[in-house]
Amino acid sequence: MEKTVHSFPLHPECPDVRRLADHPAEALLRAEADIVAAESAAEADRHRRLEDLEEAQQDGRGVTRRTFVAGAAATATALATAQFVTTSASFAATKTGTLIHVFLYGGLDGLSLVAPDNDPVLAKARPDLLLGNDSLALGRGFKLTSAFQPLEQWLKAGQLGFIPAVSDERLSRSHFQAADACNLGGLPNETGGRGWLDSLVDALGKGTAFRSVGIGSTLPRSLVGTNGALSINNVGSLRLNGDEKYRAATEKAIRGLFTGINHPVQEAVLDGMGALATAQRLAARPYQPAAGVKYEGVGSAFQQLAQLIKGGANVRVATVGMGGYDTHENQGTRDGGQLHRRLNELATAMAAFFTDLGDRAADVTVMVSSEFGRRVASNSGGTDHGHGGVVTLLSGRKLAGSLLGTWNGLNDLDSGDVPEYNNMFNVYGSVAQGRFGLTNAEVDKIFPRQKYTPMKLYA
């Protein structure tokens, strides 16, 4: 009988085979099984090393695809991989301005923001919700709630405007469905679940890891897609995860791991690490806004954007969310009312933001919209879900007027709602087109299954 000579001991922790079992035959079987397992493991390890060596030689570099993937998995922090790799980052990107979409969740009653003055339909349908005598005058016989008094200087400068009667036939009166469609730029089956702002980023070319930023703890649907948007509550939260004492060493390790690998991901990650360094630099000391500027309430979100923009982070698109606009009761259109206070908080924050930006405001446009408008008629102190809302524009670029788009009056209501005189996605597209200088064809790609019709919004 041929004798097998093993290169491994019978049992690494028990040279005496008899200790493996009470019965000698069973002990020998267990010893043989241990030997086979050890030899198999060693052979598999040898094959892995040979495969790695061959792979490295074929690739002509010192890091193999396997070690690359393993290293990426080991350092899979929010900033090192998932965020930065997908941004196609180029930290020295050319500045082309910033579009900030402020979404008012709940369904803003647009007629409590801007409304035709002395309108007989409104006087009859909502006598308790008319705008007060302290309202600000707009063009084309409209007036603006006094809650927007903080923005009066931009109104006089031709940089604040309003588009009434904005809707889309695909919007229902459901908060969830309408908000989803507004953020996607259409229905989920039309857009593949991709947000309209993420599609817009495609047309803007390369940018920094900050080019798409959602202020908040969760990423809004408008930024969901393929371009690696960041979701942050504040600039200081943008850092590698883990214990503080290991953070510097981790950053160094990541830089080393993604250096000299002759792979497109190298540039993305290293540029991303540069963006991380920028965030850390900006957060190293408390942010100091311009003299006299104070951020309160929703203004804290605008403060984060001001810090990024003034710090040179090259933000292209950003979002801010604000709730509290589902006013079925106790709406309070005039001074002291619930909705008036909410709108005043928003206007105060936007005024602080543009004041803080100073000259940089010339490159920024803020667009404010909601999922739908509300019914024309009052329901004894509030309003129910409707259509025909209002989009607000605050822009560093002069606008074509203070009241923009089409307005054909309230004589022929749409089942009790303000009619759709201006399509929502034509408004979105025209705002983006004027901000970034896009072609009609580029805007067409942002909103699937809709033929884009540009609107004159800018002077």
Side-chain angles (χ1 to χ4, degrees):
M1 180 176 179
E2 184 178 354
K3 183 179 180 182
T4 302
V5 179
H6 295 293
S7 57
F8 288 83
L10 288 179
H11 195 278
E13 297 179 358
C14 185
D16 189 347
V17 69
R18 289 173 298 181
R19 295 184 183 179
L20 296 177
D22 292 335
H23 193 280
E26 185 179 349
L28 287 172
L29 287 174
R30 289 188 179 182
E32 185 70 21
D34 285 343
I35 293 169
V36 172
E39 288 182 333
S40 296
E43 188 66 12
D45 186 60
R46 185 176 70 87
H47 279 294
R48 281 195 297 269
R49 291 197 304 269
L50 289 173
E51 185 180 352
D52 286 347
L53 179 60
E54 180 183 11
E55 198 173 35
Q57 291 171 342
Q58 290 175 348
D59 289 350
R61 52 188 169 86
V63 178
T64 68
R65 284 187 293 272
R66 178 175 292 105
T67 56
F68 172 82
V69 172
T75 57
T77 64
L79 297 178
T81 55
Q83 300 289 11
F84 287 152
V85 172
T86 55
T87 61
S88 298
S90 174
F91 203 63
T94 302
K95 181 176 65 175
T96 60
T98 305
L99 172 62
I100 299 168
H101 186 193
V102 180
F103 201 85
L104 307 181
Y105 290 94
L108 168 68
D109 178 32
L111 292 171
S112 292
L113 176 60
V114 298
D117 195 12
N118 296 319
D119 188 278
V121 175
L122 295 181
K124 181 179 180 180
R126 52 165 60 200
D128 55 334
L129 296 177
L130 298 175
L131 294 179
N133 294 328
D134 57 352
S135 300
L136 306 175
L138 292 181
R140 297 161 64 181
F142 269 65
K143 56 184 178 182
L144 167 66
T145 174
S146 60
F148 263 47
Q149 172 72 38
L151 289 168
E152 186 174 16
Q153 72 176 81
W154 289 276
L155 178 64
K156 292 179 178 179
Q159 296 174 271
L160 179 66
F162 303 87
I163 306 146
V166 177
S167 190
D168 185 272
E169 62 182 7
R170 287 165 288 191
L171 303 182
S172 72
R173 289 189 177 91
S174 160
H175 288 297
F176 179 82
Q177 189 276 345
D180 205 40
C182 291
N183 281 290
L184 294 177
L187 300 178
N189 64 338
E190 298 173 353
T191 63
R194 188 182 185 195
W196 80 275
L197 285 176
D198 188 72
S199 297
L200 168 60
V201 170
D202 286 350
L204 303 183
K206 289 186 176 183
T208 73
F210 296 106
R211 66 177 177 170
S212 302
V213 178
I215 304 299
S217 56
T218 58
L219 197 66
R221 290 276 273 174
S222 59
L223 290 175
V224 170
T226 62
N227 287 299
L230 294 172
S231 179
I232 60 173
N233 283 310
N234 59 76
V235 176
S237 67
L238 200 60
R239 58 173 58 196
L240 292 177
N241 294 328
D243 197 307
E244 179 69 37
K245 63 183 179 181
Y246 301 123
R247 196 161 287 144
T250 301
E251 292 179 23
K252 182 178 180 180
I254 292 171
R255 290 180 183 277
L257 178 66
F258 292 98
T259 298
I261 61 174
N262 190 28
H263 191 284
V265 77
Q266 174 180 326
E267 179 184 355
V269 172
L270 294 183
D271 284 342
M273 296 302 292
L276 176 63
T278 296
Q280 292 173 335
R281 172 178 57 80
L282 293 175
R285 53 185 178 180
Y287 176 68
Q288 293 295 326
V293 172
K294 185 178 182 180
Y295 288 105
E296 295 180 323
V298 73
S300 62
F302 286 96
Q303 178 180 321
Q304 306 309 313
L305 292 174
Q307 187 174 7
L308 288 172
I309 292 170
K310 292 169 69 175
N314 283 326
V315 178
R316 299 288 183 82
V317 298
T319 62
V320 171
M322 185 182 185
Y325 289 89
D326 194 14
T327 52
H328 289 280
E329 57 187 8
N330 301 321
Q331 184 164 305
T333 299
R334 303 195 183 198
D335 187 20
Q338 174 185 328
L339 182 57
H340 191 280
R341 287 195 303 270
R342 209 79 181 119
L343 289 171
N344 184 250
E345 178 185 333
L346 173 63
T348 301
M350 292 167 64
F353 180 55
F354 257 47
T355 301
D356 193 11
L357 290 180
D359 293 342
R360 292 180 179 85
D363 297 316
V364 175
T365 295
V366 178
M367 180 179 76
V368 183
S369 68
S370 190
E371 64 259 42
F372 45 59
R374 305 188 79 83
R375 308 279 284 174
V376 172
S378 165
N379 64 4
S380 300
T383 49
D384 296 323
H385 301 176
H387 290 116
V390 172
V391 172
T392 301
L393 286 183
L394 174 63
S395 179
R397 178 180 171 187
K398 193 170 182 178
L399 301 173
S402 58
L403 193 83
L404 302 159
T406 299
W407 177 255
N408 292 328
L410 294 171
N411 291 325
D412 296 312
L413 300 184
D414 179 12
S415 300
D417 295 341
V418 177
E420 179 194 321
Y421 293 140
N422 301 289
N423 180 265
M424 174 173 286
F425 302 125
N426 285 337
V427 174
Y428 283 12
S430 297
V431 172
Q433 184 174 44
R435 174 69 272 165
F436 297 111
L438 306 178
T439 65
N440 287 357
E442 287 174 323
V443 178
D444 256 333
K445 293 179 181 179
I446 299 172
F447 305 104
R449 298 191 188 178
Q450 175 174 313
K451 181 62 179 176
Y452 168 62
T453 301
M455 300 173 59
K456 184 174 177 54
L457 300 180
Y458 297 92

